Amino acid sequence: MINKYSNIKLSRDAKEHMYIQLFYAIKEMIEKEILKSNEKLPPIRKLADLLDVNNVTVVKAYDLLEKNKYVYKRVGSGTFVLPQQNFDREIENFEKFEDEIYEDLRLMDRGQIQISDDMINFASATPTPQLFPIDDFKNVLNEVLDRDKGFAFGYQDSKGFYPLRESIVEYLKFYKITTSTDNIQIISGAQQGIDVVAKVLLNYGDTIIVESPTYTGAIASFKTRGTKIVEVPIKKDGIDLEKLELYIKEYKPKAIYTMPNFQNPTGYSHSLIKKKKLLEIAKKNNLIIIEDDYLSDLNFYTDDNFTLKSMDNDENVIYIKSFSKIFMPGLRLGFLVVPLRFKNEIIAAKHTSDISTSSLIQRAFDLYLRKGIWKKHIKYMKKVYKERFDVMIEKLEELPNEISYEKPKGGINFWIDLPNKISVNEFYRDAIKEKIVFVPGSIFYPSKTNSNSLRLSIASVYPEEIKRGMDIFNNLLKKYLDIDKKKYYFENREFYRPIL
Amino acid sequence: MINKYSNIKLSRDAKEHMYIQLFYAIKEMIEKEILKSNEKLPPIRKLADLLDVNNVTVVKAYDLLEKNKYVYKRVGSGTFVLPQQNFDREIENFEKFEDEIYEDLRLMDRGQIQISDDMINFASATPTPQLFPIDDFKNVLNEVLDRDKGFAFGYQDSKGFYPLRESIVEYLKFYKITTSTDNIQIISGAQQGIDVVAKVLLNYGDTIIVESPTYTGAIASFKTRGTKIVEVPIKKDGIDLEKLELYIKEYKPKAIYTMPNFQNPTGYSHSLIKKKKLLEIAKKNNLIIIEDDYLSDLNFYTDDNFTLKSMDNDENVIYIKSFSKIFMPGLRLGFLVVPLRFKNEIIAAKHTSDISTSSLIQRAFDLYLRKGIWKKHIKYMKKVYKERFDVMIEKLEELPNEISYEKPKGGINFWIDLPNKISVNEFYRDAIKEKIVFVPGSIFYPSKTNSNSLRLSIASVYPEEIKRGMDIFNNLLKKYLDIDKKKYYFENREFYRPIL
């Protein structure tokens, strides 16, 4: 049966090694059942002669086939086709990402992966360095250094620099949150805030409710506590309250983690009614609400962007605020508003985490707030983001009818649902070839569910790029809407990555 | 029996409320058994008349007595003396600190509590701001801002700024640690390093071995993981290896946390033989060593200050280094050297903790290392600390013979064992009145054992202060060496803090 193999074409000029080309060729013959289960593969020398390659090439290809469970070997008698699982399962695997890729996507979300300059980056939810108020901040840094000298580098109170806590209490008045310096805990960014709160509220075996989908960093933090994570779907007007109440009864969770305004990744907001109801439910069930105020500041088309904290009469909300998204992520600065009954435990957990947040950065940011530069900057950022937001909305209106999305009223994220027949992950890999990148939805689910959605973010793209990028996105999508999946799979076999 | 009460003296001018004075008076009568178990206390109005106070004063005193378990009440029949426990146990309680004070002491250790200017501070192990190289650091900060612009404020790679990791690899060569950028993980200070490593190594129910006594921040971090903490005593030449091997068999720990050079709080160092044996034991038992290199740089009188990492041929050591002690604690910067098999988990745990360490600070410190200013600074700090160290040693030689201590060979901490008849905690409270402060030993034990030792630190005191402070210390100690404990207790009853 050696002639079955004579169709194999190997190229010495291809970017892939010959043995990998051979691996793919035999793999495909097995998948298409040209080679049957338990069929013997040709002896090494014979196949090498036929294909005019070195013996070693065949040896290595056979080894790789064995490692990837396409063949098995019997000492002294040769190499045989390993009976294969259902082909559909294979396609399913192909559509799922390896853990490594999940990790890459998470990093991309945080702007931590350098994307080549010719790519249009809808993946990063982090503003580009060009938007940072460098000169202003350099000035306050130097002013602080001259004013405070060595004290700018000493240990800071774990709770945070007192004047900064004062400034934040002032700042919060603008957002209708009435609180005191005693309630403010300075943190090294929102991620640390989540981690510190988790340390206080969640012990091994406890349950927390999260919106589904939600922020990947929160999921990771809750997982390190050995916490059971229960997902409640987020709908276009906010969290599914019926399911929430049901799960509260069933799982007796300690807390719920929520982003009530312009949620990440969906951009959805809880309606005012839902917000009030959520506070009631929390009160009734002794549930702590962890409110991650991701971006409530960017309310382009709504005045309903109240935070839960501003309505929290019963002190059940722990409020987390970072300045990363509209200021400078590399500063690692944010704050919590904490009900007084948790105050001491929160300080202790912060102390355990990193003792205190950089004294210099706290002092500089305090001055930045006090001088009113912050207000100027946020006004500027809102203008920049609104322009991008409007361009994005315009382009989304050109999407094919089959595509569904909810028009958010603010924020920087857009959540697109693709029809079931399209695999988002395949679409993702193809989009990259076309020089655009976004984040496939599946990474935002604690259970890594296969999701048919994706997130587009406008934090790192200029209006011109949004136009160009969304044209590419639209064209690719139109092509995809009538693609044959199985055919596509074989035409794109290089997507399969063997274990090397 | 109302005349028993006629000796009670209450003063309207005292700083304490009348009802608290009354509480102490009756408490003492109960303790001295002037009032017997189950004896009835006078009716409120009667006692109020006798002492010429308001009824409310008596009501409040009785309430406080009840709350502090000195009396019990029977509805309709009055207030009665609650049978008291053994008086010695009472003294023991008096000698123990409340949790709140423990917390204060921990903060003091980290230089986080402002101590009034007229106090001599042997408690803080944190250098004073006057020693920080402000001007040099301001220069590198500005150089980085001009060079990197917005990138100095963008998210940084979770693993750390690559050039800084390069600089650290270079820096470590000087300490005979050969490693690569791939092994280096940047952290926001040693405390975060411990916390990140704990996240990776320790899950709920796992066991870790620590030296006893040890660093309080490490204990706190391990506790948040739900970890069982097993204490192995540290002797003058390092950890007790026999007990260590015994406990490894018994508890099958995942890791050991150790400071092999100039340990905190004892100042003790492992001998070279013990270090080598520890590495062998770790290898044999599949035990990870978490080496906190607290201060190995300050080797004034030894060349044996090898780190375990420098001898770690089997890659069992996770090395933690902070720059807080000899540089600037408020920077929140340090690094780990991680065996490659833990590398990815460590990055993930760091990401979960605060995504990344401040980009600006990393870039500035990198420049600081590259320009060689660090070497200059560490030379300067060694000189400053050595002078203090020598003065302290000189003063310790004047201690009464009954007092035992081990002369360390470097570092900033001195561990003093008091004779059993002296209560360190009482001594501590008295020392504060004499305007010197140190840290009582008990806080350094995971189990809060009553300890008869204390830690003196030279990080925050000038040579002149060391001389003056140690004279006070010596005099107080001499007085204490023949004090009557029981008598002292009653003369100093204001130290007892009732639960209010």
Side-chain angles (χ1 to χ4, degrees):
Chain A
M1 305 294 266
I2 183 82
N3 51 347
K4 277 186 185 175
Y5 294 86
S6 50
N7 286 331
I8 294 178
K9 301 265 174 296
L10 304 179
S11 156
R12 283 175 210 283
D13 304 315
K15 66 179 198 300
E16 265 169 341
H17 283 295
M18 301 273 278
Y19 77 92
I20 293 194
Q21 296 177 48
L22 182 55
F23 160 83
Y24 277 124
I26 298 177
K27 170 180 170 291
E28 185 172 338
M29 286 166 77
I30 293 168
E31 281 165 350
K32 291 190 167 167
E33 298 182 76
I34 298 168
L35 303 176
K36 306 291 178 205
S37 291
N38 303 307
E39 183 173 328
K40 195 180 173 195
L41 265 60
I44 285 157
R45 206 171 308 170
K46 221 167 158 185
L47 185 57
D49 286 346
L50 176 74
L51 301 176
D52 192 26
V53 296
N54 200 302
N55 284 352
V56 177
T57 303
V58 180
V59 169
K60 285 175 89 177
Y62 281 16
D63 284 349
L64 202 56
L65 284 163
E66 183 185 39
K67 206 164 172 188
N68 286 276
K69 308 235 166 89
Y70 285 97
V71 304
Y72 61 99
K73 289 177 181 169
R74 277 207 210 112
V75 182
S77 59
T79 302
F80 302 83
V81 174
L82 188 71
Q84 292 298 296
Q85 292 166 329
N86 187 306
F87 176 68
D88 285 341
R89 257 209 69 205
E90 171 64 19
I91 284 207
E92 195 186 292
N93 285 334
F94 163 69
E95 285 170 7
K96 275 195 183 162
F97 290 119
E98 299 83 11
D99 279 350
E100 209 176 285
I101 295 187
Y102 269 99
E103 195 42 43
D104 282 358
L105 288 170
R106 273 185 216 109
L107 294 173
M108 215 183 278
D109 175 28
R110 244 67 46 80
Q112 288 209 303
I113 283 190
Q114 290 291 344
I115 290 175
S116 64
D117 284 346
D118 59 343
M119 295 285 279
I120 296 176
N121 187 351
F122 293 117
S124 171
T126 300
T128 37
Q130 290 75 20
L131 295 175
F132 302 157
I134 316 303
D135 292 335
D136 285 340
F137 203 74
K138 188 178 162 190
N139 289 339
V140 291
L141 267 177
N142 279 297
E143 196 171 329
V144 162
L145 286 169
D146 294 339
R147 182 191 72 188
D148 298 347
K149 303 266 179 343
F151 292 97
F153 295 109
Y155 268 127
Q156 195 60 61
D157 189 354
S158 288
K159 197 170 174 64
F161 185 53
Y162 185 80
L164 174 59
R165 287 188 281 128
E166 279 182 333
S167 301
I168 286 171
V169 168
E170 273 306 306
Y171 157 86
L172 284 172
K173 283 182 188 161
F174 184 73
Y175 294 92
K176 310 250 183 313
I177 296 176
T178 311
T179 188
S180 78
T181 51
D182 224 22
N183 298 77
I184 306 293
Q185 170 70 52
I186 304 294
I187 46 174
S188 308
Q191 179 67 40
Q192 183 180 72
I194 294 168
D195 204 48
V196 162
V197 172
K199 273 184 180 143
V200 170
L201 296 183
L202 304 172
N203 289 313
Y204 180 80
D206 286 343
T207 297
I208 184 159
I209 287 182
V210 302
E211 292 161 350
S212 174
T214 190
Y215 168 55
T216 57
I219 299 169
S221 185
F222 301 145
K223 278 188 180 164
T224 71
R225 301 291 305 159
T227 305
K228 185 179 167 60
I229 300 174
V230 173
E231 305 176 46
V232 174
I234 182 162
K235 296 179 163 180
K236 295 182 179 179
D237 66 341
I239 195 161
D240 182 333
L241 289 176
E242 258 175 59
K243 279 227 173 95
L244 175 64
E245 294 206 77
L246 203 71
Y247 290 169
I248 288 175
K249 279 207 189 82
E250 196 172 334
Y251 297 107
K252 313 227 173 327
K254 285 272 194 78
I256 175 172
Y257 170 76
T258 175
M259 284 171 274
N261 294 296
F262 319 131
Q263 200 242 15
N264 179 20
T266 60
Y268 301 167
S269 295
H270 294 17
S271 64
L272 189 55
I273 294 170
K274 279 205 171 177
K275 285 177 185 168
K276 287 183 176 162
K277 193 85 183 55
L278 180 57
L279 286 164
E280 274 169 38
I281 292 173
K283 185 183 178 181
K284 206 175 70 187
N285 294 283
N286 220 352
L287 189 75
I288 305 303
I289 299 175
I290 306 170
E291 176 178 26
D292 189 348
D293 183 359
Y294 179 68
L295 270 183
S296 73
D297 327 68
L298 298 184
N299 56 325
F300 305 131
Y301 295 102
T302 176
D303 287 322
D304 258 9
N305 58 325
F306 295 104
T307 59
L308 294 171
K309 189 70 205 171
S310 69
M311 301 183 276
D312 177 32
N313 301 318
D314 304 298
E315 291 274 77
N316 287 321
V317 175
I318 298 180
Y319 175 87
I320 304 178
K321 182 79 188 172
S322 137
F323 296 116
S324 301
K325 296 292 172 288
I326 33 180
F327 195 50
M328 305 196 277
L331 281 189
R332 310 313 306 132
L333 187 67
F335 65 89
L336 304 177
V337 184
V338 180
L340 290 182
R341 68 184 183 283
F342 295 117
K343 180 187 71 164
N344 290 331
E345 284 172 278
I346 291 280
I347 296 175
K350 163 69 181 172
H351 197 127
T352 304
S353 299
D354 68 352
I355 299 187
S356 68
T357 294
S358 166
S359 181
L360 174 65
I361 301 292
Q362 288 191 62
R363 286 162 196 260
F365 192 66
D366 173 48
L367 203 57
Y368 194 85
L369 284 172
R370 280 174 196 267
K371 292 192 160 209
I373 321 178
W374 170 258
K375 276 192 188 149
K376 192 184 81 182
H377 178 65
I378 203 171
K379 212 172 143 189
Y380 166 70
M381 289 299 272
K382 272 184 88 163
K383 191 172 148 271
V384 168
Y385 279 134
K386 183 167 179 299
E387 189 188 348
R388 296 178 184 186
F389 186 92
D390 289 344
V391 170
M392 183 54 120
I393 290 288
E394 212 171 90
K395 296 308 285 184
L396 287 176
E397 275 161 12
E398 296 172 9
L399 282 177
N401 288 334
E402 292 99 317
I403 310 303
S404 117
Y405 73 98
E406 169 75 6
K407 200 167 127 179
K409 287 172 178 142
I412 55 170
N413 293 320
F414 301 82
W415 188 247
I416 315 293
D417 298 317
L418 301 189
N420 280 330
K421 70 174 193 172
I422 300 184
S423 153
V424 174
N425 296 358
E426 276 178 45
F427 183 64
Y428 164 76
R429 299 186 215 230
D430 253 9
I432 284 181
K433 286 196 211 151
E434 306 269 347
K435 303 289 184 197
I436 60 173
V437 60
F438 51 79
V439 183
S442 50
I443 78 153
F444 298 105
Y445 293 86
S447 48
K448 288 189 190 169
T449 334
N450 250 350
S451 151
N452 247 54
S453 306
L454 59 90
R455 190 192 73 181
L456 297 169
S457 183
I458 53 169
S460 278
V461 276
Y462 294 102
E464 193 41 53
E465 286 179 302
I466 298 176
K467 279 184 201 157
R468 252 189 316 124
M470 288 308 292
D471 283 341
I472 297 171
F473 185 90
N474 270 335
N475 285 335
L476 189 63
L477 205 47
K478 275 171 202 152
K479 258 197 255 169
Y480 251 76
L481 283 169
D482 32 38
I483 209 162
D484 179 312
K485 199 171 181 181
K486 196 154 177 171
K487 187 166 155 278
Y488 180 83
Y489 172 68
F490 286 115
E491 279 169 0
N492 293 275
R493 62 177 191 202
E494 76 270 24
F495 289 142
Y496 178 91
R497 288 195 193 175
I499 303 162
L500 290 171
Chain B
M1 305 295 267
I2 185 83
N3 51 346
K4 276 185 187 175
Y5 294 87
S6 49
N7 287 330
I8 294 178
K9 300 268 177 292
L10 304 178
S11 157
R12 283 177 212 281
D13 305 314
K15 65 178 199 298
E16 263 169 344
H17 284 293
M18 303 270 278
Y19 77 93
I20 293 191
Q21 296 176 46
L22 183 55
F23 160 83
Y24 278 123
I26 299 177
K27 170 180 170 291
E28 186 173 333
M29 287 164 76
I30 293 169
E31 280 164 351
K32 291 188 166 168
E33 297 183 77
I34 299 167
L35 303 176
K36 306 290 180 206
S37 291
N38 302 306
E39 185 174 326
K40 195 180 172 191
L41 267 58
I44 285 156
R45 208 172 302 171
K46 223 168 159 181
L47 186 57
D49 285 346
L50 177 75
L51 301 175
D52 192 26
V53 297
N54 199 301
N55 285 353
V56 177
T57 303
V58 181
V59 170
K60 284 173 91 178
Y62 282 15
D63 284 350
L64 202 55
L65 285 163
E66 185 185 39
K67 206 165 172 188
N68 286 275
K69 308 232 165 93
Y70 285 97
V71 303
Y72 62 98
K73 289 177 181 169
R74 275 208 212 114
V75 182
S77 58
T79 303
F80 301 84
V81 175
L82 189 71
Q84 292 299 296
Q85 292 167 330
N86 186 307
F87 178 69
D88 287 343
R89 255 210 68 205
E90 172 65 17
I91 286 210
E92 195 186 291
N93 285 334
F94 164 68
E95 285 168 9
K96 274 193 184 163
F97 292 118
E98 299 82 10
D99 280 350
E100 207 176 284
I101 297 187
Y102 270 99
E103 195 43 43
D104 282 359
L105 289 169
R106 272 183 216 110
L107 294 174
M108 215 183 277
D109 174 31
R110 246 60 54 75
Q112 288 210 302
I113 282 190
Q114 288 291 342
I115 290 175
S116 63
D117 283 346
D118 59 342
M119 294 287 278
I120 296 177
N121 187 353
F122 294 119
S124 171
T126 299
T128 37
Q130 290 76 19
L131 295 174
F132 301 156
I134 318 303
D135 292 336
D136 284 342
F137 203 73
K138 189 178 160 188
N139 288 339
V140 291
L141 266 178
N142 279 298
E143 196 171 328
V144 162
L145 285 170
D146 293 339
R147 183 193 70 189
D148 298 348
K149 304 265 182 337
F151 292 99
F153 295 110
Y155 269 127
Q156 195 60 61
D157 188 352
S158 287
K159 197 172 174 63
F161 184 54
Y162 185 81
L164 175 59
R165 288 189 278 128
E166 277 182 334
S167 300
I168 287 170
V169 169
E170 272 307 304
Y171 158 88
L172 285 171
K173 283 181 187 161
F174 184 74
Y175 294 92
K176 310 251 181 310
I177 296 175
T178 311
T179 188
S180 78
T181 52
D182 223 22
N183 298 78
I184 305 293
Q185 169 70 52
I186 303 296
I187 46 175
S188 309
Q191 179 66 42
Q192 184 181 69
I194 294 168
D195 204 50
V196 162
V197 171
K199 273 185 181 142
V200 170
L201 296 183
L202 304 173
N203 289 314
Y204 180 81
D206 285 343
T207 297
I208 183 159
I209 287 182
V210 301
E211 292 161 350
S212 173
T214 191
Y215 168 54
T216 57
I219 299 168
S221 185
F222 301 145
K223 278 188 180 163
T224 71
R225 301 292 304 160
T227 306
K228 185 179 167 61
I229 300 174
V230 172
E231 303 177 47
V232 174
I234 181 159
K235 296 178 162 180
K236 296 183 179 181
D237 66 341
I239 195 159
D240 183 334
L241 289 176
E242 259 175 58
K243 279 227 173 97
L244 175 64
E245 293 204 79
L246 204 69
Y247 289 170
I248 287 174
K249 277 205 190 83
E250 197 173 334
Y251 297 106
K252 315 225 173 332
K254 284 272 194 78
I256 175 173
Y257 170 77
T258 176
M259 283 169 277
N261 293 296
F262 320 131
Q263 200 242 15
N264 181 19
T266 61
Y268 301 168
S269 294
H270 294 18
S271 65
L272 189 54
I273 292 169
K274 279 206 169 175
K275 285 177 185 168
K276 285 182 178 161
K277 193 87 187 43
L278 181 57
L279 286 164
E280 272 170 38
I281 291 173
K283 183 183 180 181
K284 206 175 70 187
N285 294 283
N286 220 349
L287 189 73
I288 304 304
I289 298 175
I290 305 170
E291 176 179 28
D292 189 348
D293 183 359
Y294 179 67
L295 270 183
S296 73
D297 327 68
L298 298 183
N299 55 326
F300 305 131
Y301 295 102
T302 177
D303 287 323
D304 259 10
N305 58 326
F306 295 104
T307 59
L308 294 171
K309 190 69 207 173
S310 69
M311 302 183 277
D312 176 32
N313 300 319
D314 304 299
E315 289 272 79
N316 286 322
V317 177
I318 297 180
Y319 176 87
I320 303 178
K321 182 78 187 171
S322 136
F323 296 116
S324 301
K325 295 293 172 288
I326 33 179
F327 194 51
M328 305 197 276
L331 281 190
R332 312 313 305 132
L333 188 67
F335 65 88
L336 305 176
V337 184
V338 181
L340 290 182
R341 68 184 183 283
F342 295 117
K343 184 187 69 164
N344 290 331
E345 283 172 280
I346 291 279
I347 296 176
K350 163 69 181 170
H351 197 128
T352 304
S353 298
D354 68 351
I355 300 188
S356 68
T357 294
S358 164
S359 180
L360 175 65
I361 301 293
Q362 288 192 62
R363 286 163 195 260
F365 192 67
D366 173 49
L367 203 58
Y368 194 85
L369 285 172
R370 281 176 195 266
K371 291 190 161 211
I373 321 178
W374 170 258
K375 276 192 187 148
K376 193 184 83 182
H377 178 67
I378 203 169
K379 212 172 143 188
Y380 166 70
M381 290 298 273
K382 271 185 89 161
K383 191 172 149 272
V384 168
Y385 278 134
K386 185 169 177 301
E387 190 189 350
R388 298 178 183 187
F389 185 92
D390 289 344
V391 172
M392 182 55 118
I393 290 289
E394 213 171 89
K395 297 307 286 182
L396 288 176
E397 275 161 11
E398 297 171 10
L399 282 177
N401 288 333
E402 292 99 318
I403 311 303
S404 117
Y405 72 98
E406 169 76 6
K407 200 167 124 179
K409 287 173 177 143
I412 55 170
N413 292 321
F414 301 82
W415 189 245
I416 314 294
D417 298 316
L418 301 189
N420 279 330
K421 68 172 190 173
I422 300 185
S423 153
V424 175
N425 296 356
E426 277 178 44
F427 184 64
Y428 163 77
R429 300 186 214 230
D430 254 9
I432 283 180
K433 285 195 210 152
E434 306 268 347
K435 304 287 182 199
I436 60 172
V437 59
F438 51 78
V439 183
S442 51
I443 78 152
F444 299 105
Y445 294 86
S447 48
K448 290 188 187 168
T449 331
N450 249 351
S451 153
N452 246 54
S453 306
L454 59 89
R455 190 194 72 181
L456 297 168
S457 184
I458 53 168
S460 278
V461 278
Y462 293 102
E464 194 41 55
E465 288 180 301
I466 298 176
K467 280 183 199 157
R468 256 190 312 126
M470 289 308 291
D471 283 341
I472 298 170
F473 185 90
N474 270 334
N475 288 334
L476 188 64
L477 205 47
K478 276 169 200 151
K479 258 196 258 171
Y480 252 77
L481 284 169
D482 34 38
I483 207 161
D484 180 312
K485 198 171 180 180
K486 198 155 176 172
K487 187 167 155 279
Y488 181 82
Y489 171 67
F490 285 115
E491 281 169 359
N492 292 275
R493 64 172 190 204
E494 76 270 21
F495 288 143
Y496 178 89
R497 288 197 191 173
I499 303 161
L500 291 171

